[in-house]
């Protein structure tokens, strides 16, 4: 029989070095793998059992290191890192590519009429609201009124931006009009994410030492976390909403698409999907999931609280969310 797996592997952290972009990219390629959506409830529960037992010091007989890490990534794909609750299916990071390729492809295809703009911006913000709620940082609950305010504000912001820019680009080249959806999505992200996580901005998110020991809650950490998520989300959308319009603008001038116009939407969705397969994990990897900041950058009262526990601590860590 192979030797038993040691109980010293640190599965609290990702498998690859998160201080490097390459390590974070490998991690997020695993986290955003769309195939995780196809896993059964029994497979998810088995992965949870393996991970929780291992963390408690119980190693299942015959368990290999690769099997342990596979269970860890299945667990991470479906369960919230702070609360441990099973996440809504369409809100999981593994749903980002298939959901966004469909919604973004349709936004880029059906951008010419006002009803189409309204409908697809509403669909996109509904999806974003679910993702932002599902992947919020910390274990703080969000109230229905906060959820509703964020959803309505982001949807309104996206629609107003899209319709405003659409009217401004009427007399400009067609290629300019194709970028209206991206501007609307970027604006909505700047509204939606802070509003969806407003409780964190008011009360703070948990900050810990390097070993995960909770030291308190910080609003300064929440601000940094939300800023990083906004940048990542806009970066995630940029290639999928910037590259396909150029290609489609060229293709629509050729005889092929004029002869088969019904291929426009499938081609657009496919191009967006190809961009998102790479953009999603690479933009998630722009910042470490376990982000950090100096103790000196926290609020004075939080600094005092931490100094009483550990006078020599210089850096705290927090989950930035996704």
């Amino acid at each position: 029989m192979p030797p038993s797996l040691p109980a010293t592997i640190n599965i609290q952290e990702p498998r690859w070095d998160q201080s490097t972009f390459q390590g974070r990219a490998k991690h997020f390629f695993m986290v955003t793998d769309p195939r995780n959506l196809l896993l059964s409830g029994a497979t998810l529960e088995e992965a949870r059992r393996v991970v929780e037992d291992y963390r408690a010091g119980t190693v299942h007989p015959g368990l290999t290191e690769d099997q342990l890490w596979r269970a860890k990534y299945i667990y991470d794909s479906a369960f919230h890192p702070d609360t441990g609750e099973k996440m809504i299916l369409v809100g999981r990071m593994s749903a980002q590519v298939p959901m966004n390729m469909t919604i973004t492809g349709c936004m880029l295809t059906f951008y010419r009429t006002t009803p189409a703009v309204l409908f697809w911006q509403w669909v996109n913000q509904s999806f974003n609201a679910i993702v932002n709620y599902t992947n919020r940082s910390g274990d703080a609950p969000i109230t229905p009124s906060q959820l509703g305010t964020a959803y309505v504000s982001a949807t309104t912001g996206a629609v107003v931006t899209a319709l405003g820019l659409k009217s401004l680009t009427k007399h400009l080249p067609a290629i300019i009009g194709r970028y209206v959806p991206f501007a609307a999505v970027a604006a909505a992200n700047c509204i939606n994410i802070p509003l969806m996580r407003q409780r964190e901005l008011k009360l703070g998110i948990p900050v810990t030492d390097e070993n995960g020991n909770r030291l308190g809650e910080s609003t300064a950490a929440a601000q940094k976390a939300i800023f990083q998520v906004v940048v990542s989300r806009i970066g995630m959308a940029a290639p999928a909403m910037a590259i396909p319009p150029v290609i489609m603008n060229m293709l629509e001038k050729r005889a092929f698409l004029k002869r088969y116009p019904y291929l426009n939407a499938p081609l657009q969705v496919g191009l967006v999907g190809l961009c998102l397969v790479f953009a999603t994990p690479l933009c998630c990897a722009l910042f470490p999931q376990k982000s950090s900041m100096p103790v000196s950058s926290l609020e004075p009262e939080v600094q005092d609280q931490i100094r009483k526990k550990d006078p020599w601590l210089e850096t705290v860590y927090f989950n930035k969310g996704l």
Side-chain angles (χ1 to χ4, degrees):
M1 287 183 64
S4 179
L5 192 68
T8 54
I9 299 171
N10 183 12
I11 60 169
Q12 293 293 111
E13 303 294 336
R15 188 172 192 175
W16 295 279
D17 181 5
Q18 297 299 284
S19 66
T20 68
F21 178 78
Q22 183 180 18
R24 295 195 296 273
K26 287 180 179 179
H27 168 69
F28 280 109
F29 268 107
M30 292 289 289
V31 169
T32 61
D33 187 344
R35 292 174 298 179
N36 289 334
L37 292 175
L38 304 176
L39 298 173
S40 67
T43 302
L44 297 180
E45 289 303 325
E46 174 61 18
R48 188 218 284 262
R49 190 169 66 86
V50 169
V51 169
E52 290 181 349
D53 286 353
Y54 188 85
R55 285 174 177 169
T58 303
V59 181
H60 291 199
L63 183 69
T64 67
E65 184 172 354
D66 284 340
Q67 289 172 339
L68 174 64
W69 282 113
R70 173 62 180 154
K72 149 82 172 168
Y73 275 101
I74 290 174
Y75 175 84
D76 285 351
S77 77
F79 298 94
H80 193 278
D82 292 326
T83 65
E85 68 182 12
K86 186 182 285 188
M87 295 185 285
I88 304 165
L89 187 69
V90 296
R92 298 174 193 172
M93 291 310 293
S94 49
Q96 283 287 296
V97 172
M99 291 297 295
N100 271 326
M101 70 180 281
T102 304
I103 296 170
T104 304
C106 289
M107 279 197 295
L108 293 175
T109 303
F110 308 111
Y111 67 94
R112 291 184 174 90
T113 67
T114 298
V117 170
L118 287 169
F119 177 75
W120 286 109
Q121 288 296 338
W122 169 72
V123 170
N124 187 50
Q125 291 314 313
S126 298
F127 172 63
N128 282 344
I130 294 171
V131 171
N132 293 336
Y133 173 76
T134 305
N135 294 282
R136 65 199 182 281
S137 175
D139 48 15
I142 184 169
T143 66
S145 63
Q146 291 170 332
L147 191 62
T149 300
Y151 172 63
V152 171
S153 301
T155 305
T156 303
V159 168
V160 168
T161 302
L163 294 180
L165 291 175
K166 183 175 178 293
S167 65
L168 291 174
T169 57
K170 279 182 180 176
H171 306 295
L172 295 175
I175 185 66
I176 303 298
R178 288 181 178 272
Y179 286 101
V180 168
F182 172 63
V185 166
N189 274 325
C190 293
I191 299 168
N192 193 329
I193 295 169
L195 280 172
M196 190 65 66
R197 296 173 59 174
Q198 60 185 289
R199 193 177 190 281
E200 298 171 31
L201 291 171
K202 291 176 182 175
L203 303 179
I205 58 174
V207 292
T208 69
D209 61 18
E210 193 172 8
N211 299 316
N213 299 311
R214 191 160 173 163
L215 302 169
E217 288 75 36
S218 167
T219 56
Q223 291 168 10
K224 182 175 181 179
I226 290 168
F227 171 77
Q228 290 177 344
V229 171
V230 169
V231 171
S232 294
R233 291 288 185 83
I234 293 174
M236 201 183 297
M241 302 191 84
I243 297 171
V246 175
I247 297 173
M248 293 304 298
N249 201 55
M250 291 166 48
L251 290 177
E252 285 180 358
K253 295 175 182 177
R254 302 183 182 276
F256 178 75
L257 270 187
K258 289 179 180 177
R259 187 180 305 169
Y260 307 106
Y262 56 85
L263 291 177
N264 190 306
L267 269 174
Q268 191 103 246
V269 170
L271 285 169
V272 169
L274 184 63
C275 292
L276 285 172
V277 164
F278 297 97
T280 300
L282 293 178
C283 287
C284 283
L286 288 175
F287 305 101
Q289 180 67 35
K290 184 181 177 181
S291 199
S292 63
M293 64 190 302
V295 173
S296 57
S297 297
L298 301 174
E299 311 90 289
E301 62 273 17
V302 180
Q303 290 186 42
D304 293 341
Q305 185 180 342
I306 291 172
R307 295 295 180 213
K308 290 175 183 175
K309 295 179 180 178
D310 187 343
W312 309 110
L313 190 69
E314 295 183 356
T315 304
V316 293
Y317 300 86
F318 53 91
N319 171 27
K320 71 174 176 65
L322 286 171

